Amino acid sequence: MSRMTPFSSPLLLGFDAMEKTLERLAKSGDSYPPYNIERLSGADGKTERLRITLAVAGFAENDLDVTTEENQLVVRGRQNDDTEREFLHRGIAARQFQRCFVLADGMRVIAAELKNGLLSIDLDRPESERLVRKINISVKD
């Protein structure tokens, strides 16, 4: 018995990568670090902007890495374990994380700012030009 997927219609061509991305997102269950996504209006009131805010308390600027890889925004955090300190109780673990966000075509990262333990990443999507292209039909005899 074959499995029906949202992209199994013969009218949807070239969406294989999107289907794999959705499957990968469904499998990722890590909730660390917590984050918010908010919609902001642009300066002109029309342009849509998004802000992703991650709670990264304890991470310094050098511990964080924000990159875009293909159509993904990847945020990584790495903390080194301080071996010189002696803990009587250790309730705050030095842990690593990687959080991925899938970006739609045309989305771009404007800025990233670390303030008071919150990493804010601003994105926008400039309005794209509507492209209509006439395809010539060749006739073979």
Side-chain angles (χ1 to χ4, degrees):
M1 177 178 208
S2 66
R3 176 175 75 106
M4 290 296 292
T5 64
F7 298 103
S8 62
S9 169
L11 300 176
L12 297 173
L13 303 175
F15 285 90
D16 301 342
M18 179 67 72
E19 186 174 9
K20 289 177 185 174
T21 301
L22 289 173
E23 287 176 2
R24 190 177 69 242
L25 288 174
K27 290 178 185 175
S28 67
D30 190 15
S31 61
Y32 181 79
Y35 64 92
N36 292 336
I37 301 176
E38 49 188 315
R39 184 184 320 269
L40 307 171
S41 59
D44 58 2
K46 296 178 184 176
T47 309
E48 180 180 295
R49 288 183 29 221
L50 299 175
R51 175 172 291 153
I52 301 170
T53 305
L54 292 99
V56 292
F59 287 86
E61 179 186 359
N62 296 339
D63 298 332
L64 298 168
D65 187 33
V66 179
T67 58
T68 54
E69 300 172 10
E70 296 182 15
N71 66 334
Q72 289 188 42
L73 170 66
V74 180
V75 182
R76 291 181 182 93
R78 291 176 210 82
Q79 286 181 320
N80 294 328
D81 226 358
D82 191 356
T83 56
E84 296 178 9
R85 296 164 63 184
E86 181 182 347
F87 292 97
L88 299 178
H89 170 76
R90 180 113 189 229
I92 303 171
R95 69 192 273 196
Q96 299 182 31
F97 71 86
Q98 177 173 311
R99 170 75 65 187
C100 296
F101 300 91
V102 178
L103 303 177
D105 289 339
M107 293 292 293
R108 63 182 182 184
V109 176
I110 303 170
E113 178 185 33
L114 180 62
K115 183 177 179 183
N116 297 330
L118 297 174
L119 175 64
S120 297
I121 304 166
D122 290 345
L123 303 112
D124 77 345
R125 181 188 337 210
E127 248 183 76
S128 59
E129 298 176 20
R130 185 178 167 140
L131 181 63
V132 177
R133 194 175 108 209
K134 174 117 172 101
I135 308 297
N136 292 326
I137 301 171
S138 62
V139 178
K140 307 251 185 196
D141 289 330

